[in-house]
Amino acid sequence: MLTGARGRVFAVFVILMCVSGVCESGCADRPSPKCCPGRNNECVEFTGRKTVCYCDTYCQRTGDCCEDYQTACLISAALDCEVRQWGPWSPCSSVCGEGTTERSRQVATPPRNGGKPCPDLKQRRGCLAHSQTCSAAKEVAKILPDSFKRNFKDPWRRPHMLMKEEKKSYCVIMRVKQASSACKVKMWSAKLVRDRSLCVECQSDAMATDNRCRGDGLQNVRTFWTAASAPGCSGSWVRESSTENCHCPPYSLLFV
């Protein structure tokens, strides 16, 4: 007789199949999948005595497993995916302002024999970056051609006046990312074209109290510049390198 814990309609259907000569016996004779995870009333077979038996893991609770369930199913039982704990969130993708951060986790046990698939292994969310470099990223460099170098003697300086402390210059190599069309008007600013690397020197007179020129850029981060003597000429660039105690070659640029 059929057990009341299972679907009677489906069991009757299987009995009719058995009578018609298409019935097999045991879990090993089932088409794929031979065994099913959880409770599945369609994961059914017949014993040699033409009684209904099941090949799902729930049959171990109800006691209606097929006789070969142990050998046919437990050896190759369905195994759900298991994952490890989430790793830490990555740093924000932006140095300043809106960006994204993500974290990931690894698969501890891959799914097998029809087990539950793995859940998401990566998560991403928005972030708002604000660090010490954030203010530097917002600085706009003002530049001039090196013909404006001011390392000359001041004829108006009185003998009793103190000389301003001369600080050593440093050089920054910047790669231009974008330049406005107004830069083409003047000869010196026309060299500010996309993907061109330029040497920009920070001299003592242009240094702030922290001994650096404003807008001297950030490594691999896009910052902005404007040409002081070329109206409308502006753009963006990325700092590639910086060298202390350095002077740029002739026909370079200056921070002002």
Side-chain angles (χ1 to χ4, degrees), residues 27-185:
C27 298
D29 296 317
R30 275 179 51 78
S32 181
K34 298 181 183 298
C35 307
C36 311
R39 179 173 180 172
N40 186 344
N41 289 346
E42 296 183 2
C43 194
V44 65
E45 260 302 331
F46 272 82
T47 67
R49 290 175 288 183
K50 311 303 182 184
T51 58
V52 175
C53 63
Y54 292 87
C55 300
D56 57 358
T57 54
Y58 190 73
C59 74
Q60 297 177 90
R61 288 188 179 185
T62 54
D64 50 7
C65 297
C66 294
E67 292 180 357
D68 64 347
Y69 179 80
Q70 296 289 331
T71 56
C73 295
L74 293 188
I75 296 177
S76 60
L79 191 64
D80 295 339
C81 177
E82 294 182 359
V83 294
R84 303 187 189 279
Q85 295 292 325
W86 286 106
W89 288 100
S90 66
C92 192
S93 61
S94 174
V95 175
C96 184
E98 296 181 357
T100 58
T101 179
E102 63 180 30
R103 64 177 182 176
S104 61
R105 56 184 174 183
Q106 302 296 321
V107 174
T109 304
R112 189 178 65 191
N113 301 325
K116 291 183 180 179
C118 296
D120 291 340
L121 300 177
K122 284 189 177 182
Q123 285 184 340
R124 179 179 294 179
R125 66 183 184 184
C127 57
L128 187 63
H130 183 77
S131 61
Q132 293 181 350
T133 58
C134 185
S135 57
K138 294 181 179 179
E139 292 177 356
V140 178
K142 292 183 179 180
I143 55 175
L144 282 173
D146 62 356
S147 57
F148 282 80
K149 285 185 177 178
R150 291 168 296 203
N151 51 355
F152 57 87
K153 292 184 179 180
D154 183 0
W156 301 102
R157 188 183 66 82
R158 301 288 187 180
H160 64 276
M161 293 175 65
L162 294 177
M163 289 287 291
K164 183 179 179 180
E165 180 185 1
E166 190 73 19
K167 302 171 186 177
K168 293 183 178 180
S169 299
Y170 65 88
C171 305
V172 184
I173 303 300
M174 310 293 285
R175 180 175 293 275
V176 179
K177 291 297 182 182
Q178 182 268 334
S180 62
S181 57
C183 298
K184 300 177 182 179
V185 175

